[in-house]
Amino acid sequence: MAKTSGYLKADELKTPLASFKNLELQIGKVILEEEEWEPMGPTPMPSLARLRPWTVNRLLKRYKPYYAPFCDRCCLCTYGHCDLTAGKEGACGITIDATQGRIVLLACIIGASAHTAHARHLLNDLIERVGPDHPVDLGNDIEVEAPVIRNVTGIRPRRLGDLEEVLDYVEGQIVHSASATHTGQEGSYIDFEAKAMHVSLMDAIGMEAADLIQITSLDFPKGEGDVPLVDIGLGCIDTTKPAILVIGHNVMPSVGVIDYLREHKLEDSVEVAGICCTAIDLTRYDPGYKVVGSIARQQTFIRSGVPDVVMVDEQCIRTDNIKEVAKIKAAFIATNEKNCMGLSDRTEDPVQEIVDDLVKYAMAGEVNGALILDPDKAGEVAVRTAMKLAPLRNKFKNVIAEEQIIELAKECTGCYECERACPNDAATTDAIKAAAEGDLTKLAALYEPCIGCGRCTEACSKGIPVKEMIDAAADNQIKQDRYRVRVGRGPIKDTEIRNVGAPIVLGEIPGVVAYVGCANYPAGPKEVALMAEEFLKRRYIVVTSGCSAMDIARYRDEEGLTLYEKYHGDFDAGGLVNVGSCVSNPHITGAAIKIANIFARRPLRANFEEIADYVLNRVGAVGVAWGAYSQKAASIATGVNIYGIPVIVGPHGSKYRRMLLGRPDIDEDWYVYNARTGEKVYVGPTPEHLMVAVENMDECIVETAKLCMRPNDTFKGRAIKLSHWIDLYRRKFGKDFPDDVHKYIRVDGDIPLTFKEDLLKVLKDRNWQSTEIPDPTLYEKFVKLKAKK
């Protein structure tokens, strides 16, 4: 069935029966018969409780929440604050574990709301631009254009207007999830976790809808692996031109800038560069423009004085940017109702009037700007303001001179408050002491690992601008900050899935590793690139998006090549695939779903449980959110978890206050049904965890290889995966074998030949016994379904 709607407006309409003037006619949804593309499955548009058999009875029974509260009180309502220590209950009856579950749910609701609201804005703007009947068409190589949407809602979007119903459903589920966090509502931590998974699944739908909308309406790349390479880095910006910096996640105002430049043939006259996901989507629209970098680079680039106009849209924007822009006498434009920054709405004002005012504010150094909610108008204002302002301000910088750094450093009392405030415990005090003696190298060395939070400056009791001093000391390396990143390619092609489905499921391609998330790294962006290359060299498929995709580019090998220049962009062994911005993340989960549907021929439409069961037991995929930072990252990770895909977070990820950990020591948790016989079979702790935090890069690399193992691995595939895991364990930890290696060997054929002699001794010492390799499922009903077939 298909649904459509229509709207008719006519100044005058004559028919044989009557004449009409100023006629407006609204046609509601009209249901049209069409050929069914696939029979409807059992879970179309599931409610909050519909997927509980999967989340509560399967996933959360095996992967139990482990909480690490910031405090032992609840302060969410006026009954409190309530002391929840030692088994006490709050005034509403809530317990400490339920309170933590509620906080997890709230974070996921915020993340899902951000992406879904983004999708709704894109849909509204682009329906106005291209119309509701614009086709959702990703080309001949992609028939399954929306695997998450199809799998969860049962809708196959053929045109933009079809996504209205998809977003209506998602928005409704977000509201229901938010209502569960009200005082005196849900009281079970397990059900809070189940709702967090549900709302995060909605987040995946909202993101997939958002990227489909912009790919098909703005002609972004449609799954091509050989998309262009573009410049990234503060040093790649042409400082001789008027410069516009765009920050955020909604590309439409940036599109307004580019369209205006094209229309007036000004492409070579104005420099346009982006930070965060807007930067990635900017280059998907036109690879002629540039990427500055991730969220961590905002203050540094603004203070450099290069941008004449800073234009922000939504999400992951430093809220003090407007003050930083005033310090360099540049103009500030906000473009989204979710981020108004206290500015006057100038959307309806004449363009020239807005431009004149912005130039006046800028030259006066006033903390002011304009809110312009029309993206095309915002683009025109940004261009005209930059061109008028650039010759007046002459790239006025807010950067400290070398002699000032030395004088400021002499004021340091050595209290170490800056180090205590730093999330990464950077050795700022020693660096400042060295600077006081004229040595700026230690300060400069802190620039690359700095995550740009500015907490060191805020903590200093003497008012020393520590972050600003780091940036100033690193001025020379910032000028050399120039790399190459591959444009976001969007979805994985169906043809690619047909090529790699069998090798992934059987284990011959050892795994798919996805580096996603923010720039809150424990030791700088280089670690993400080093981890990615470790698995690229081992012929894993490496997929990336968002800030991680940008930061993987910020590393060169001995020959001066970035990983994007060194490795191909196809979804195949040894490929480095940049799918795009944050809203492109569902293409990664979508690849796992497509393996179940295209390779294994599992029904996709509204058939969530069977697809998720297949992915958990057969698809060796792992997400790594090494720099997880925002609520969006929490909901993205949890939306991956509901499909049974594990996620590793860096040490800062522990601040999400919850992990989902398996217990390898409890054998009963690791039984599945063998779909061939109906018997229950022990398969070992594969994958061991759903959400786990690790302390350092070496731990992350070893854990990644371990979490790629699945119950369905053939003995050849398991031997390949074990070989990588054991080799990495030896290299990183200097020990012979992991203590639990025997739990991952099912039959003699699993044992890698290179380790066989030594491993057989280990197995004998641990009283190991072989087990069968099943056709695994967690659902008895799938055994019965297979028997019927």
Side-chain angles (χ1 to χ4, degrees):
M1 308 293 284
K3 297 180 180 179
T4 187
S5 60
Y7 178 75
L8 173 67
K9 183 176 181 180
D11 294 332
E12 187 172 357
L13 178 65
K14 293 183 179 180
T15 74
L17 297 178
S19 297
F20 302 93
K21 288 189 176 182
N22 299 320
L23 174 67
E24 294 187 27
L25 180 62
Q26 178 88 33
I27 302 173
K29 289 179 179 175
V30 180
I31 299 178
L32 302 173
E33 293 291 335
E34 68 168 21
E35 183 181 350
E36 287 280 334
W37 53 273
E38 187 177 314
M40 184 65 79
T43 55
M45 295 194 177
S47 66
L48 282 180
R50 176 59 187 85
L51 299 180
R52 284 182 85 239
W54 174 250
T55 54
V56 172
N57 299 337
R58 281 12 181 238
L59 289 183
L60 294 170
K61 188 176 180 181
R62 177 188 283 182
Y63 303 104
K64 296 173 179 62
Y66 172 85
Y67 294 121
F70 281 172
C71 72
D72 48 21
R73 296 178 181 272
C74 177
C75 310
L76 201 59
C77 78
T78 58
Y79 269 169
H81 55 270
C82 292
D83 181 3
L84 302 179
T85 57
K88 296 177 183 177
E89 294 181 352
C92 70
I94 201 164
T95 58
I96 184 67
D97 52 4
T99 295
Q100 293 307 305
R102 178 163 64 173
I103 290 170
V104 170
L105 174 56
L106 281 167
C108 293
I109 288 167
I110 293 169
S113 299
H115 287 136
T116 304
H118 177 189
R120 178 62 75 177
H121 265 144
L122 282 173
L123 186 61
N124 292 344
D125 286 341
L126 287 166
I127 280 181
E128 185 175 333
R129 183 183 177 110
V130 300
D133 293 323
H134 186 80
V136 175
D137 181 5
L138 298 180
N140 295 331
D141 291 332
I142 301 177
E143 176 64 22
V144 184
E145 75 299 302
V148 181
I149 291 171
R150 288 192 187 195
N151 183 228
V152 181
T153 69
I155 294 171
R156 179 186 183 183
R158 298 179 183 275
R159 59 192 193 97
L160 281 189
D162 295 337
L163 292 166
E164 294 266 13
E165 185 176 6
V166 172
L167 293 183
D168 287 345
Y169 162 66
V170 171
E171 289 160 351
Q173 294 303 296
I174 291 173
V175 170
H176 285 302
S177 300
S179 73
T181 66
H182 189 274
T183 302
Q185 190 80 290
E186 182 63 76
S188 161
Y189 78 94
I190 284 293
D191 273 304
F192 273 126
E193 292 287 354
K195 289 176 173 64
M197 286 188 169
H198 181 83
V199 80
S200 298
L201 182 61
M202 298 303 106
D203 183 31
I205 298 171
M207 287 188 289
E208 185 174 71
D211 214 30
L212 277 178
I213 291 162
Q214 59 185 16
I215 288 171
T216 56
S217 303
L218 298 174
D219 198 26
F220 284 6
K222 298 177 179 178
E224 297 88 356
D226 59 347
V227 288
L229 292 166
V230 297
D231 288 333
I232 177 172
L234 282 73
C236 72
I237 310 302
D238 187 344
T239 59
T240 65
K241 297 179 182 178
I244 300 171
L245 172 65
V246 294
I247 308 175
H249 283 70
N250 189 322
V251 77
M252 290 309 297
S254 304
V255 168
V257 170
I258 295 172
D259 287 350
Y260 185 83
L261 292 173
R262 287 175 177 173
E263 183 181 346
H264 293 82
K265 297 182 171 30
L266 295 170
E267 296 102 311
D268 296 329
S269 302
V270 177
E271 190 80 336
V272 182
I275 285 176
C276 279
C277 284
T278 285
I280 292 180
D281 288 339
L282 174 79
T283 56
R284 294 168 84 187
Y285 187 61
D286 189 329
Y289 295 94
K290 295 170 183 175
V291 179
V292 173
S294 68
I295 184 174
R297 306 300 162 189
Q298 291 186 50
Q299 281 191 341
T300 302
F301 188 59
I302 291 172
R303 288 170 178 166
S304 72
V306 172
D308 299 291
V309 172
V310 174
M311 186 167 71
V312 301
D313 48 84
E314 59 175 312
Q315 302 169 31
C316 299
I317 301 160
R318 287 190 60 96
T319 56
D320 60 353
N321 277 341
I322 188 169
K323 294 186 292 184
E324 294 293 336
V325 169
K327 291 175 184 176
I328 63 166
K329 298 185 182 296
F332 186 89
I333 301 172
T335 63
N336 195 289
E337 63 189 13
K338 286 164 271 181
N339 181 27
C340 297
M341 299 300 294
L343 298 172
S344 299
D345 187 350
R346 307 294 301 273
T347 308
E348 302 302 324
D349 292 353
V351 169
Q352 188 60 54
E353 184 179 311
I354 303 171
V355 171
D356 290 342
D357 285 346
L358 286 173
V359 171
K360 179 182 71 176
Y361 301 147
M363 295 310 298
E366 293 184 22
V367 180
N368 209 330
L371 173 65
I372 306 173
L373 300 177
D374 178 338
D376 291 331
K377 189 169 190 174
E380 179 181 356
V381 170
V383 173
R384 290 175 59 177
T385 302
M387 296 186 74
K388 185 173 182 179
L389 188 55
L392 299 176
R393 56 182 294 274
N394 195 28
K395 305 298 184 190
F396 183 87
K397 293 184 180 183
N398 184 33
V399 177
I400 304 168
E402 184 173 326
E403 56 273 15
Q404 289 178 286
I405 297 174
I406 295 170
E407 291 305 312
L408 286 166
K410 290 177 181 177
E411 297 181 21
C412 176
T413 61
C415 68
Y416 289 90
E417 285 298 324
C418 53
E419 289 190 25
R420 281 189 279 272
C422 177
N424 292 331
D425 299 321
T428 47
T429 304
D430 286 347
I432 292 172
K433 288 179 179 177
E437 297 174 1
D439 178 8
L440 304 187
T441 57
K442 289 185 177 181
L443 270 179
L446 297 177
Y447 166 73
E448 192 62 27
C450 177
I451 62 174
C453 67
R455 288 171 60 178
C456 51
T457 296
E458 295 300 319
C460 183
S461 59
K462 300 292 289 183
I464 299 172
V466 182
K467 170 70 172 75
E468 293 86 330
M469 291 164 66
I470 292 170
D471 291 344
D475 188 53
N476 286 333
Q477 68 189 78
I478 289 172
K479 290 174 181 175
Q480 305 301 317
D481 187 29
R482 184 172 189 148
Y483 304 89
R484 301 283 278 171
V485 62
R486 189 174 288 125
V487 167
R489 56 165 275 178
I492 310 305
K493 292 182 179 181
D494 297 5
T495 48
E496 292 174 304
I497 296 297
R498 291 189 185 99
N499 290 334
V500 302
I504 289 173
V505 170
L506 300 177
E508 292 162 9
I509 290 178
V512 180
V513 183
Y515 291 95
V516 301
C518 320
N520 191 19
Y521 309 120
K526 183 179 178 180
E527 287 191 338
V528 189
L530 293 175
M531 289 191 290
E533 185 160 39
E534 184 68 67
F535 290 101
L536 286 165
K537 289 187 294 188
R538 293 172 181 269
R539 304 286 289 166
Y540 287 69
I541 300 173
V542 175
V543 192
T544 187
S545 66
C547 285
S548 291
M550 291 185 271
D551 283 332
I552 281 175
R554 297 178 55 80
Y555 163 76
R556 289 192 181 93
D557 66 8
E558 299 81 2
E559 298 177 1
L561 297 176
T562 66
L563 297 188
Y564 292 108
E565 294 170 300
K566 193 172 179 180
Y567 295 94
H568 65 81
D570 297 325
F571 190 78
D572 203 346
L576 176 57
V577 181
N578 176 14
V579 294
S581 56
C582 277
V583 295
S584 305
N585 275 303
H587 300 314
I588 302 172
T589 312
I593 295 169
K594 284 186 179 187
I595 290 171
N597 176 233
I598 295 172
F599 164 69
R601 301 186 181 278
R602 300 295 175 98
L604 179 60
R605 188 180 190 187
N607 188 31
F608 177 82
E609 291 162 316
E610 184 174 1
I611 294 293
D613 181 76
Y614 184 95
V615 172
L616 170 66
N617 285 297
R618 291 169 169 80
V619 181
V622 178
V624 180
W626 195 235
Y629 154 77
S630 67
Q631 293 90 354
K632 295 193 309 169
S635 62
I636 290 169
T638 309
V640 170
N641 290 156
I642 196 173
Y643 274 102
I645 299 172
V647 174
I648 303 169
V649 294
H652 294 313
S654 63
K655 298 171 191 173
Y656 283 128
R657 302 179 239 186
R658 186 272 267 128
M659 290 183 279
L660 297 172
L661 304 180
R663 289 286 302 273
D665 57 315
I666 302 177
D667 289 350
E668 305 89 77
D669 287 353
W670 306 102
Y671 276 81
V672 302
Y673 290 100
N674 186 343
R676 290 189 293 267
T677 65
E679 296 178 352
K680 295 191 81 172
V681 180
Y682 175 77
V683 291
T686 51
E688 183 180 10
H689 306 299
L690 266 192
M691 172 80 77
V692 60
V694 298
E695 285 298 315
N696 55 58
M697 180 177 67
D698 289 344
E699 282 187 30
C700 185
I701 289 171
V702 174
E703 188 70 15
T704 300
K706 184 180 185 181
L707 290 178
C708 283
M709 285 184 272
R710 293 295 182 274
N712 188 67
D713 295 337
T714 62
F715 61 83
K716 179 183 177 183
R718 179 59 65 88
I720 292 170
K721 293 183 180 185
L722 280 168
S723 178
H724 288 297
W725 177 40
I726 294 169
D727 180 60
L728 286 167
Y729 181 87
R730 287 182 162 189
R731 289 172 182 268
K732 302 302 179 183
F733 300 148
K735 300 178 182 179
D736 281 343
F737 295 106
D739 293 339
D740 56 349
V741 68
H742 58 288
K743 290 182 178 289
Y744 297 90
I745 299 173
R746 304 156 302 175
V747 296
D748 284 347
D750 286 350
I751 303 174
L753 288 175
T754 50
F755 303 117
K756 190 157 191 174
E757 185 177 347
D758 292 334
L759 262 178
L760 286 172
K761 294 176 184 177
V762 171
L763 296 180
K764 184 177 180 181
D765 291 341
R766 298 179 187 177
N767 298 315
W768 171 83
Q769 292 182 337
S770 66
T771 59
E772 64 179 295
I773 301 176
D775 181 3
T777 176
L778 293 183
Y779 272 106
E780 188 177 9
K781 66 182 179 181
F782 295 151
V783 177
K784 295 175 181 177
L785 284 172
K786 187 161 184 177
K788 286 181 181 179
K789 292 177 183 177

